[in-house]
Amino acid sequence: MNKHHESTGPSDEQQITLRGPAELADALPYLMGFHPNDSVVMVALHGGRGRFGGRLRLGIPRSAHEWPSVAGQLAECLIKGSERRGGRPDAIVVFLCQDPAEGETGRQTMERLRPLAQRLRTACGELDVPVLEALCISGNRFWSYVCPDARCCPAEGNPLAMPGTSVMAAAATYAGVQVRGSLREMEARLAPQSSVAGREQQLALDSAGAALVPKLLDEESRREVSTTTLNLARRLMERLGRAPAATPSLSDLNDDRLISHEEAAGVILGLQDRETRDRAAEWMEGPEAESALRLWRALARRCVAPYEEHAAAPLTLAGWVSWSTGDEPSARVALGLALRLDPGYTFAQLLHEACNQGLDPETLRRCLRGERSTRTVRRGHGTGRAAGARSVRVRTAGQRRARTGSARPGTASGRRRGGQSRTEGRRGTRTGR
Protein backbone atom coordinates (compact mmCIF):
# COMPACT_ATOMS: atom_id res chain seq x y z
CA MET A 1 0.00 0.00 0.00
CA ASN A 2 1.04 3.59 -0.36
CA LYS A 3 1.94 4.84 3.12
CA HIS A 4 1.83 8.46 2.00
CA HIS A 5 -1.66 9.79 2.41
CA GLU A 6 -3.24 12.28 0.08
CA SER A 7 -5.38 15.04 1.50
CA THR A 8 -6.81 18.39 0.56
CA GLY A 9 -7.96 21.33 2.59
CA PRO A 10 -11.23 23.18 2.65
CA SER A 11 -12.12 25.09 -0.45
CA ASP A 12 -14.46 27.86 -1.49
CA GLU A 13 -16.30 25.76 -4.06
CA GLN A 14 -19.92 26.27 -5.03
CA GLN A 15 -22.26 25.10 -2.27
CA ILE A 16 -24.21 21.93 -3.01
CA THR A 17 -26.56 20.12 -0.66
CA LEU A 18 -26.17 16.33 -0.66
CA ARG A 19 -28.86 14.21 0.89
CA GLY A 20 -28.25 10.62 1.87
CA PRO A 21 -25.73 7.88 1.00
CA ALA A 22 -26.60 7.81 -2.72
CA GLU A 23 -25.62 11.42 -3.33
CA LEU A 24 -22.51 11.07 -1.15
CA ALA A 25 -21.38 8.05 -3.17
CA ASP A 26 -21.96 9.93 -6.42
CA ALA A 27 -20.07 12.97 -5.14
CA LEU A 28 -16.85 11.10 -4.31
CA PRO A 29 -15.13 11.34 -7.74
CA TYR A 30 -15.86 15.07 -7.85
CA LEU A 31 -14.45 15.57 -4.36
CA MET A 32 -11.21 13.78 -5.28
CA GLY A 33 -10.89 14.62 -8.99
CA PHE A 34 -10.77 10.91 -9.93
CA HIS A 35 -12.40 7.60 -9.06
CA PRO A 36 -10.36 6.38 -6.06
CA ASN A 37 -10.34 2.62 -6.59
CA ASP A 38 -8.66 0.40 -3.95
CA SER A 39 -8.73 3.28 -1.48
CA VAL A 40 -9.77 4.46 1.94
CA VAL A 41 -11.11 8.01 1.63
CA MET A 42 -12.00 10.14 4.63
CA VAL A 43 -13.66 13.55 4.34
CA ALA A 44 -13.94 16.05 7.19
CA LEU A 45 -17.25 17.86 7.75
CA HIS A 46 -17.52 21.26 9.43
CA GLY A 47 -20.44 23.17 10.92
CA GLY A 48 -24.06 22.29 11.42
CA ARG A 49 -24.64 21.92 7.68
CA GLY A 50 -21.68 19.57 7.17
CA ARG A 51 -19.42 21.67 4.93
CA PHE A 52 -16.78 19.51 3.27
CA GLY A 53 -13.26 20.13 4.54
CA GLY A 54 -10.02 18.16 4.37
CA ARG A 55 -9.91 14.93 2.40
CA LEU A 56 -7.52 12.03 2.87
CA ARG A 57 -6.86 9.00 0.67
CA LEU A 58 -4.81 5.89 1.33
CA GLY A 59 -4.50 2.58 -0.44
CA ILE A 60 -6.38 -0.16 1.44
CA PRO A 61 -3.83 -2.29 3.30
CA ARG A 62 -3.79 -5.81 1.96
CA SER A 63 -3.21 -7.33 5.37
CA ALA A 64 -6.04 -7.04 7.86
CA HIS A 65 -3.41 -7.08 10.61
CA GLU A 66 -2.50 -3.52 9.59
CA TRP A 67 -6.04 -2.19 9.82
CA PRO A 68 -6.08 -1.22 13.52
CA SER A 69 -2.86 0.83 13.38
CA VAL A 70 -3.68 2.36 10.00
CA ALA A 71 -7.17 3.37 11.17
CA GLY A 72 -5.72 5.21 14.14
CA GLN A 73 -3.11 6.95 12.01
CA LEU A 74 -5.65 8.05 9.40
CA ALA A 75 -8.07 9.44 11.98
CA GLU A 76 -5.28 11.37 13.69
CA CYS A 77 -3.88 12.68 10.38
CA LEU A 78 -7.23 13.98 9.16
CA ILE A 79 -8.35 15.51 12.44
CA LYS A 80 -5.04 17.13 13.37
CA GLY A 81 -4.45 18.24 9.80
CA SER A 82 -7.85 19.91 9.78
CA GLU A 83 -7.02 21.65 13.04
CA ARG A 84 -3.80 23.01 11.56
CA ARG A 85 -5.75 24.35 8.60
CA GLY A 86 -8.17 26.21 10.81
CA GLY A 87 -10.84 24.03 12.38
CA ARG A 88 -11.48 20.71 14.08
CA PRO A 89 -13.98 18.58 12.14
CA ASP A 90 -17.46 18.17 13.55
CA ALA A 91 -17.90 14.83 11.77
CA ILE A 92 -16.26 12.58 9.19
CA VAL A 93 -17.50 10.60 6.19
CA VAL A 94 -15.63 7.38 5.31
CA PHE A 95 -15.52 5.67 1.91
CA LEU A 96 -14.04 2.22 1.23
CA CYS A 97 -13.61 1.74 -2.51
CA GLN A 98 -12.46 -1.60 -3.88
CA ASP A 99 -13.41 -3.74 -6.86
CA PRO A 100 -14.46 -7.31 -6.05
CA ALA A 101 -11.66 -9.86 -6.14
CA GLU A 102 -11.87 -12.75 -8.61
CA GLY A 103 -14.87 -14.89 -7.73
CA GLU A 104 -16.11 -12.33 -5.21
CA THR A 105 -19.30 -10.28 -5.31
CA GLY A 106 -19.58 -6.65 -4.35
CA ARG A 107 -21.49 -7.62 -1.21
CA GLN A 108 -18.75 -10.04 -0.20
CA THR A 109 -16.20 -7.27 -0.67
CA MET A 110 -18.29 -5.03 1.54
CA GLU A 111 -18.47 -7.67 4.27
CA ARG A 112 -14.74 -8.38 4.04
CA LEU A 113 -14.01 -4.69 4.58
CA ARG A 114 -16.55 -4.24 7.36
CA PRO A 115 -13.93 -4.67 10.15
CA LEU A 116 -11.85 -1.89 8.58
CA ALA A 117 -14.87 0.40 8.49
CA GLN A 118 -15.53 -0.37 12.15
CA ARG A 119 -11.90 0.32 13.06
CA LEU A 120 -12.08 3.69 11.34
CA ARG A 121 -15.33 4.59 13.11
CA THR A 122 -13.86 3.61 16.46
CA ALA A 123 -10.60 5.50 15.84
CA CYS A 124 -12.46 8.69 14.98
CA GLY A 125 -14.78 8.26 17.96
CA GLU A 126 -11.81 7.92 20.30
CA LEU A 127 -10.75 11.39 19.14
CA ASP A 128 -14.28 12.70 19.81
CA VAL A 129 -15.19 13.12 16.15
CA PRO A 130 -18.12 10.92 15.02
CA VAL A 131 -18.32 9.17 11.66
CA LEU A 132 -21.55 10.44 10.15
CA GLU A 133 -21.55 7.92 7.30
CA ALA A 134 -19.34 5.03 6.17
CA LEU A 135 -19.89 3.70 2.65
CA CYS A 136 -18.45 0.79 0.71
CA ILE A 137 -18.34 1.22 -3.07
CA SER A 138 -17.72 -1.99 -5.01
CA GLY A 139 -18.91 -3.48 -8.27
CA ASN A 140 -20.81 -0.30 -9.26
CA ARG A 141 -22.93 -0.54 -6.11
CA PHE A 142 -22.70 1.01 -2.66
CA TRP A 143 -23.55 -0.06 0.89
CA SER A 144 -23.84 1.89 4.12
CA TYR A 145 -22.14 0.54 7.24
CA VAL A 146 -24.12 3.03 9.34
CA CYS A 147 -27.73 3.00 8.12
CA PRO A 148 -29.79 0.11 9.59
CA ASP A 149 -32.85 0.76 7.43
CA ALA A 150 -33.17 -1.94 4.77
CA ARG A 151 -35.73 0.19 2.90
CA CYS A 152 -33.08 2.67 1.80
CA CYS A 153 -29.95 0.56 2.33
CA PRO A 154 -30.83 -3.02 1.35
CA ALA A 155 -28.50 -5.97 1.86
CA GLU A 156 -27.83 -6.25 -1.88
CA GLY A 157 -26.72 -2.62 -1.97
CA ASN A 158 -27.82 0.18 -4.26
CA PRO A 159 -26.59 0.85 -7.79
CA LEU A 160 -24.47 3.93 -8.33
CA ALA A 161 -26.09 6.72 -10.31
CA MET A 162 -25.44 6.81 -14.03
CA PRO A 163 -22.48 9.13 -14.69
CA GLY A 164 -23.53 12.72 -15.29
CA THR A 165 -27.11 12.35 -14.02
CA SER A 166 -26.85 13.61 -10.43
CA VAL A 167 -27.06 17.07 -8.91
CA MET A 168 -23.37 16.84 -8.06
CA ALA A 169 -22.48 16.03 -11.67
CA ALA A 170 -24.48 18.98 -12.95
CA ALA A 171 -22.92 21.37 -10.42
CA ALA A 172 -19.43 20.06 -11.16
CA THR A 173 -19.92 20.52 -14.88
CA TYR A 174 -21.11 24.07 -14.30
CA ALA A 175 -18.11 24.78 -12.06
CA GLY A 176 -15.66 23.24 -14.54
CA VAL A 177 -14.64 20.41 -12.19
CA GLN A 178 -12.97 17.60 -14.12
CA VAL A 179 -12.95 13.90 -13.18
CA ARG A 180 -9.80 12.38 -14.67
CA GLY A 181 -10.89 8.75 -14.74
CA SER A 182 -9.92 6.20 -12.12
CA LEU A 183 -6.84 6.25 -9.92
CA ARG A 184 -5.75 3.06 -11.66
CA GLU A 185 -5.96 4.76 -15.06
CA MET A 186 -4.02 7.79 -13.85
CA GLU A 187 -1.28 5.60 -12.42
CA ALA A 188 -1.13 3.56 -15.63
CA ARG A 189 -0.10 6.70 -17.54
CA LEU A 190 3.04 6.79 -15.40
CA ALA A 191 3.80 3.06 -15.22
CA PRO A 192 6.96 1.57 -16.79
CA GLN A 193 6.79 -0.11 -20.16
CA SER A 194 6.73 -3.92 -20.07
CA SER A 195 6.83 -4.74 -23.79
CA VAL A 196 9.70 -5.42 -26.18
CA ALA A 197 10.33 -1.68 -26.12
CA GLY A 198 10.94 -2.02 -22.38
CA ARG A 199 13.78 -4.45 -23.02
CA GLU A 200 15.31 -2.05 -25.53
CA GLN A 201 15.00 0.77 -23.01
CA GLN A 202 16.76 -1.31 -20.37
CA LEU A 203 19.70 -1.90 -22.71
CA ALA A 204 19.88 1.82 -23.42
CA LEU A 205 19.90 2.57 -19.69
CA ASP A 206 22.63 -0.01 -19.15
CA SER A 207 24.76 1.57 -21.84
CA ALA A 208 24.15 5.14 -20.67
CA GLY A 209 24.86 4.17 -17.08
CA ALA A 210 28.21 2.65 -17.97
CA ALA A 211 29.20 5.88 -19.72
CA LEU A 212 27.80 8.32 -17.14
CA VAL A 213 28.79 6.79 -13.80
CA PRO A 214 32.50 7.67 -14.09
CA LYS A 215 31.60 11.22 -15.10
CA LEU A 216 29.19 11.68 -12.20
CA LEU A 217 31.99 10.78 -9.79
CA ASP A 218 34.12 13.64 -11.07
CA GLU A 219 33.21 17.19 -10.08
CA GLU A 220 34.03 18.89 -13.36
CA SER A 221 32.52 16.14 -15.48
CA ARG A 222 29.30 16.29 -13.48
CA ARG A 223 28.79 19.88 -14.54
CA GLU A 224 29.16 18.80 -18.17
CA VAL A 225 26.66 15.97 -17.65
CA SER A 226 24.21 18.42 -16.06
CA THR A 227 24.47 20.83 -18.98
CA THR A 228 24.10 18.02 -21.50
CA THR A 229 21.06 16.61 -19.66
CA LEU A 230 19.26 19.94 -19.48
CA ASN A 231 20.00 20.80 -23.11
CA LEU A 232 18.69 17.41 -24.23
CA ALA A 233 15.59 17.77 -22.05
CA ARG A 234 14.96 21.21 -23.54
CA ARG A 235 15.19 19.82 -27.09
CA LEU A 236 12.80 17.00 -26.23
CA MET A 237 10.33 19.49 -24.74
CA GLU A 238 10.44 21.54 -27.92
CA ARG A 239 9.88 18.41 -29.99
CA LEU A 240 6.90 17.38 -27.88
CA GLY A 241 5.53 20.92 -27.95
CA ARG A 242 5.39 20.83 -31.75
CA ALA A 243 3.29 17.64 -31.67
CA PRO A 244 -0.45 18.27 -31.48
CA ALA A 245 -2.18 17.36 -28.24
CA ALA A 246 -4.66 14.48 -28.34
CA THR A 247 -6.60 12.29 -25.92
CA PRO A 248 -4.43 11.19 -22.98
CA SER A 249 -3.77 7.64 -24.22
CA LEU A 250 -3.04 8.72 -27.79
CA SER A 251 -0.94 11.66 -26.59
CA ASP A 252 1.17 9.35 -24.40
CA LEU A 253 1.68 6.95 -27.29
CA ASN A 254 2.77 9.77 -29.60
CA ASP A 255 5.12 11.18 -26.96
CA ASP A 256 6.75 7.78 -26.48
CA ARG A 257 7.37 7.53 -30.23
CA LEU A 258 9.01 10.96 -30.32
CA ILE A 259 11.69 10.09 -27.75
CA SER A 260 14.37 7.52 -28.54
CA HIS A 261 15.56 4.98 -25.98
CA GLU A 262 18.99 6.60 -25.89
CA GLU A 263 17.56 10.09 -25.36
CA ALA A 264 15.30 8.88 -22.56
CA ALA A 265 18.18 7.05 -20.86
CA GLY A 266 20.42 10.11 -20.97
CA VAL A 267 17.86 12.39 -19.32
CA ILE A 268 16.68 9.81 -16.76
CA LEU A 269 20.20 9.19 -15.51
CA GLY A 270 21.12 12.87 -15.64
CA LEU A 271 18.11 13.74 -13.46
CA GLN A 272 19.46 11.54 -10.67
CA ASP A 273 21.74 14.48 -9.88
CA ARG A 274 19.85 16.66 -7.43
CA GLU A 275 20.85 20.04 -8.77
CA THR A 276 20.14 19.03 -12.36
CA ARG A 277 16.67 17.94 -11.24
CA ASP A 278 16.14 21.20 -9.36
CA ARG A 279 17.04 23.24 -12.42
CA ALA A 280 14.62 21.15 -14.49
CA ALA A 281 11.93 22.04 -11.95
CA GLU A 282 12.14 25.65 -13.17
CA TRP A 283 10.06 24.63 -16.21
CA MET A 284 6.89 24.91 -14.17
CA GLU A 285 4.74 27.63 -15.73
CA GLY A 286 3.81 29.35 -18.95
CA PRO A 287 4.06 27.69 -22.37
CA GLU A 288 6.88 25.35 -21.32
CA ALA A 289 4.94 23.74 -18.45
CA GLU A 290 2.74 21.50 -20.64
CA SER A 291 5.63 20.13 -22.71
CA ALA A 292 7.70 19.64 -19.53
CA LEU A 293 4.85 17.66 -17.95
CA ARG A 294 4.58 15.46 -21.04
CA LEU A 295 8.33 14.85 -20.95
CA TRP A 296 8.39 13.88 -17.25
CA ARG A 297 5.48 11.48 -17.75
CA ALA A 298 7.18 9.90 -20.74
CA LEU A 299 10.45 9.49 -18.82
CA ALA A 300 8.63 7.87 -15.89
CA ARG A 301 7.25 5.30 -18.32
CA ARG A 302 10.81 4.59 -19.52
CA CYS A 303 12.09 3.65 -16.06
CA VAL A 304 11.78 -0.06 -16.75
CA ALA A 305 13.06 -2.88 -14.55
CA PRO A 306 15.53 -2.85 -12.88
CA TYR A 307 15.51 0.97 -13.03
CA GLU A 308 12.06 1.53 -11.53
CA GLU A 309 13.33 3.64 -8.63
CA HIS A 310 14.99 6.06 -11.03
CA ALA A 311 11.42 7.18 -11.82
CA ALA A 312 11.27 9.05 -8.50
CA ALA A 313 12.88 12.08 -10.17
CA PRO A 314 10.61 12.41 -13.25
CA LEU A 315 7.54 11.48 -11.19
CA THR A 316 8.33 14.20 -8.67
CA LEU A 317 8.86 16.72 -11.46
CA ALA A 318 5.53 15.64 -13.01
CA GLY A 319 3.85 16.12 -9.64
CA TRP A 320 5.43 19.53 -9.19
CA VAL A 321 4.37 20.81 -12.63
CA SER A 322 0.85 19.44 -12.13
CA TRP A 323 0.55 21.20 -8.78
CA SER A 324 2.11 24.39 -10.12
CA THR A 325 -0.43 24.50 -12.95
CA GLY A 326 -3.44 23.83 -10.71
CA ASP A 327 -3.98 20.09 -11.26
CA GLU A 328 -3.81 18.91 -7.65
CA PRO A 329 -5.32 15.41 -8.20
CA SER A 330 -2.70 14.55 -10.82
CA ALA A 331 0.00 16.03 -8.60
CA ARG A 332 -0.94 13.78 -5.70
CA VAL A 333 -0.99 10.69 -7.89
CA ALA A 334 2.48 11.38 -9.32
CA LEU A 335 3.98 12.32 -5.95
CA GLY A 336 2.35 9.33 -4.30
CA LEU A 337 3.95 7.01 -6.89
CA ALA A 338 7.34 8.67 -6.37
CA LEU A 339 7.09 8.06 -2.63
CA ARG A 340 5.92 4.50 -3.17
CA LEU A 341 9.12 3.88 -5.12
CA ASP A 342 11.35 5.79 -2.71
CA PRO A 343 9.67 6.77 0.60
CA GLY A 344 12.73 8.82 1.55
CA TYR A 345 12.84 10.97 -1.58
CA THR A 346 13.05 14.38 0.07
CA PHE A 347 11.83 16.58 -2.79
CA ALA A 348 8.71 14.43 -3.23
CA GLN A 349 8.11 14.42 0.53
CA LEU A 350 8.23 18.21 0.73
CA LEU A 351 5.99 18.73 -2.30
CA HIS A 352 3.50 16.10 -1.13
CA GLU A 353 3.23 17.66 2.31
CA ALA A 354 2.91 21.18 0.90
CA CYS A 355 0.21 20.10 -1.54
CA ASN A 356 -1.67 18.26 1.20
CA GLN A 357 -1.48 21.26 3.52
CA GLY A 358 -3.13 23.43 0.88
CA LEU A 359 -0.13 25.72 0.50
CA ASP A 360 0.22 28.05 -2.48
CA PRO A 361 2.78 26.75 -5.03
CA GLU A 362 3.63 30.36 -5.86
CA THR A 363 5.99 30.40 -2.88
CA LEU A 364 8.16 27.71 -4.47
CA ARG A 365 7.77 29.22 -7.93
CA ARG A 366 9.25 32.48 -6.60
CA CYS A 367 12.21 30.57 -5.16
CA LEU A 368 12.88 28.82 -8.45
CA ARG A 369 12.56 32.05 -10.40
CA GLY A 370 15.07 33.59 -8.02
CA GLU A 371 17.49 30.69 -8.52
CA ARG A 372 17.26 31.13 -12.26
CA SER A 373 17.83 34.90 -12.04
CA THR A 374 20.78 34.49 -9.68
CA ARG A 375 22.36 31.91 -11.95
CA THR A 376 21.95 34.22 -14.93
CA VAL A 377 23.70 37.02 -13.05
CA ARG A 378 26.52 34.73 -11.96
CA ARG A 379 26.95 33.47 -15.49
CA GLY A 380 27.22 37.05 -16.68
CA HIS A 381 30.02 37.63 -14.18
CA GLY A 382 31.72 34.31 -14.89
CA THR A 383 31.06 32.88 -11.43
CA GLY A 384 28.67 30.03 -12.18
CA ARG A 385 28.37 27.29 -9.59
CA ALA A 386 29.14 23.72 -10.59
CA ALA A 387 26.21 21.37 -10.74
CA GLY A 388 28.01 19.05 -8.37
CA ALA A 389 28.23 21.55 -5.56
CA ARG A 390 25.70 19.68 -3.44
CA SER A 391 26.25 16.43 -1.59
CA VAL A 392 26.39 13.31 -3.73
CA ARG A 393 25.59 9.69 -3.04
CA VAL A 394 26.26 7.08 -5.71
CA ARG A 395 24.75 3.64 -5.27
CA THR A 396 26.36 0.74 -7.06
CA ALA A 397 25.05 -2.70 -7.97
CA GLY A 398 23.78 -4.76 -5.09
CA GLN A 399 23.62 -1.99 -2.52
CA ARG A 400 20.56 -2.02 -0.28
CA ARG A 401 19.36 0.76 1.99
CA ALA A 402 18.33 -0.28 5.48
CA ARG A 403 14.75 0.43 6.50
CA THR A 404 13.52 0.35 10.05
CA GLY A 405 10.13 0.41 11.66
CA SER A 406 6.70 1.07 10.29
CA ALA A 407 5.68 4.48 9.12
CA ARG A 408 2.83 6.82 9.67
CA PRO A 409 1.07 8.18 6.60
CA GLY A 410 3.11 11.01 5.20
CA THR A 411 6.41 10.00 6.83
CA ALA A 412 9.64 9.09 5.14
CA SER A 413 9.46 5.32 5.32
CA GLY A 414 6.87 2.60 5.11
CA ARG A 415 6.35 -1.07 4.37
CA ARG A 416 5.92 -2.04 0.76
CA ARG A 417 2.79 -3.75 -0.39
CA GLY A 418 2.96 -7.50 -0.21
CA GLY A 419 6.11 -7.45 1.93
CA GLN A 420 8.41 -6.67 -0.97
CA SER A 421 11.89 -5.42 -0.21
CA ARG A 422 13.47 -2.47 -1.94
CA THR A 423 16.78 -2.76 -3.72
CA GLU A 424 18.33 0.48 -4.86
CA GLY A 425 20.97 1.39 -7.35
CA ARG A 426 21.06 -1.99 -9.01
CA ARG A 427 22.16 -0.30 -12.19
CA GLY A 428 23.14 3.20 -13.08
CA THR A 429 23.62 5.85 -10.44
CA ARG A 430 21.55 7.96 -8.10
CA THR A 431 22.81 11.13 -6.50
CA GLY A 432 21.22 13.31 -3.86
CA ARG A 433 17.54 13.90 -3.38
Side-chain angles (χ1 to χ4, degrees):
M1 81 182 203
N2 178 9
K3 285 286 186 180
H4 294 268
H5 73 280
E6 300 165 10
S7 63
T8 63
S11 64
D12 297 324
E13 298 169 355
Q14 178 184 3
Q15 294 187 4
I16 305 167
T17 300
L18 301 179
R19 299 178 177 85
E23 293 187 355
L24 280 172
D26 181 70
L28 181 59
Y30 302 99
L31 292 173
M32 302 301 295
F34 54 86
H35 295 272
N37 50 273
D38 195 28
S39 298
V40 180
V41 177
M42 300 174 68
V43 182
L45 301 178
H46 298 268
R49 301 185 65 181
R51 174 178 54 85
F52 287 131
R55 294 145 230 182
L56 180 152
R57 189 207 70 84
L58 184 74
I60 294 177
R62 289 190 176 183
S63 172
H65 296 295
E66 294 184 72
W67 291 356
S69 61
V70 168
Q73 293 168 17
L74 291 178
E76 183 178 358
C77 281
L78 180 60
I79 293 169
K80 292 191 173 181
S82 297
E83 290 175 337
R84 288 194 299 270
R85 286 188 291 267
R88 182 177 180 83
D90 295 291
I92 289 173
V93 174
V94 172
F95 300 86
L96 298 181
C97 310
Q98 190 171 76
D99 293 333
E102 185 175 356
E104 188 178 54
T105 65
R107 181 177 178 181
Q108 289 171 328
T109 302
M110 179 272 293
E111 292 293 350
R112 175 169 52 81
L113 295 177
R114 184 183 290 276
L116 175 56
Q118 186 57 40
R119 292 284 187 181
L120 290 165
R121 295 176 66 187
T122 301
C124 293
E126 289 175 348
L127 295 174
D128 297 324
V129 180
V131 171
L132 184 66
E133 181 62 89
L135 298 178
C136 177
I137 299 176
S138 181
N140 292 318
R141 303 182 77 83
F142 68 90
W143 289 260
S144 172
Y145 291 114
V146 174
C147 179
D149 191 344
R151 292 172 297 178
C152 61
C153 297
E156 65 274 17
N158 286 300
L160 292 171
M162 291 292 292
T165 62
S166 68
V167 61
M168 186 68 179
T173 301
Y174 177 78
V177 175
Q178 180 184 4
V179 177
R180 295 158 180 80
S182 70
L183 175 62
R184 186 179 296 112
E185 291 168 343
M186 295 176 72
E187 290 181 341
R189 296 190 66 188
L190 303 167
Q193 299 171 336
S194 58
S195 59
V196 175
R199 172 59 179 167
E200 295 173 353
Q201 184 63 66
Q202 178 198 329
L203 295 175
L205 285 162
D206 288 343
S207 178
L212 287 179
V213 167
K215 294 181 179 180
L216 291 172
L217 294 172
D218 176 75
E219 199 74 21
E220 186 63 28
S221 296
R222 286 182 73 237
R223 181 166 65 175
E224 297 175 3
V225 171
S226 178
T227 300
T228 300
T229 299
L230 293 169
N231 288 341
L232 175 55
R234 171 66 77 178
R235 292 197 300 273
L236 294 176
M237 286 169 52
E238 293 172 352
R239 188 185 303 167
L240 295 175
R242 290 192 296 267
T247 59
S249 58
L250 183 57
S251 178
D252 291 346
L253 183 61
N254 290 338
D255 291 349
D256 290 338
R257 290 171 175 169
L258 290 170
I259 302 173
S260 72
H261 299 303
E262 292 72 22
E263 289 171 329
V267 181
I268 288 169
L269 294 175
L271 288 175
Q272 305 311 306
D273 172 65
R274 182 173 62 176
E275 186 154 338
T276 304
R277 178 208 64 199
D278 289 353
R279 288 182 60 180
E282 295 171 5
W283 302 324
M284 75 248 172
E285 58 188 344
E288 63 190 5
E290 178 60 28
S291 55
L293 180 58
R294 290 167 63 183
L295 175 60
W296 307 143
R297 285 172 172 164
L299 294 180
R301 294 192 292 270
R302 298 298 188 93
C303 293
V304 299
Y307 293 90
E308 297 98 333
E309 289 183 1
H310 285 66
L315 284 171
T316 302
L317 289 169
W320 160 235
V321 177
S322 295
W323 183 38
S324 177
T325 54
D327 187 355
E328 291 187 6
S330 295
R332 291 190 186 87
V333 170
L335 294 170
L337 286 175
L339 291 169
R340 186 184 303 173
L341 291 169
D342 189 347
Y345 198 74
T346 307
F347 190 30
Q349 286 179 333
L350 296 174
L351 290 174
H352 200 254
E353 182 66 18
C355 187
N356 286 342
Q357 292 298 326
L359 301 182
D360 188 347
E362 177 59 22
T363 302
L364 181 52
R365 284 196 294 260
R366 283 198 299 266
C367 291
L368 291 173
R369 293 187 202 109
E371 286 281 341
R372 176 184 286 179
S373 298
T374 301
R375 190 171 57 253
T376 301
V377 171
R378 285 175 176 165
R379 195 160 46 231
H381 289 83
T383 58
R385 182 174 60 179
R390 303 187 184 183
S391 61
V392 177
R393 174 167 57 191
V394 177
R395 304 186 191 119
T396 56
Q399 284 186 323
R400 192 182 292 265
R401 181 167 60 224
R403 305 176 65 205
T404 59
S406 61
R408 301 169 70 87
T411 59
S413 63
R415 291 173 298 218
R416 288 182 58 93
R417 184 178 295 195
Q420 294 175 343
S421 62
R422 293 174 61 251
T423 302
E424 293 206 348
R426 286 169 286 192
R427 305 192 186 203
T429 179
R430 309 226 6 235
T431 68
R433 291 186 177 178

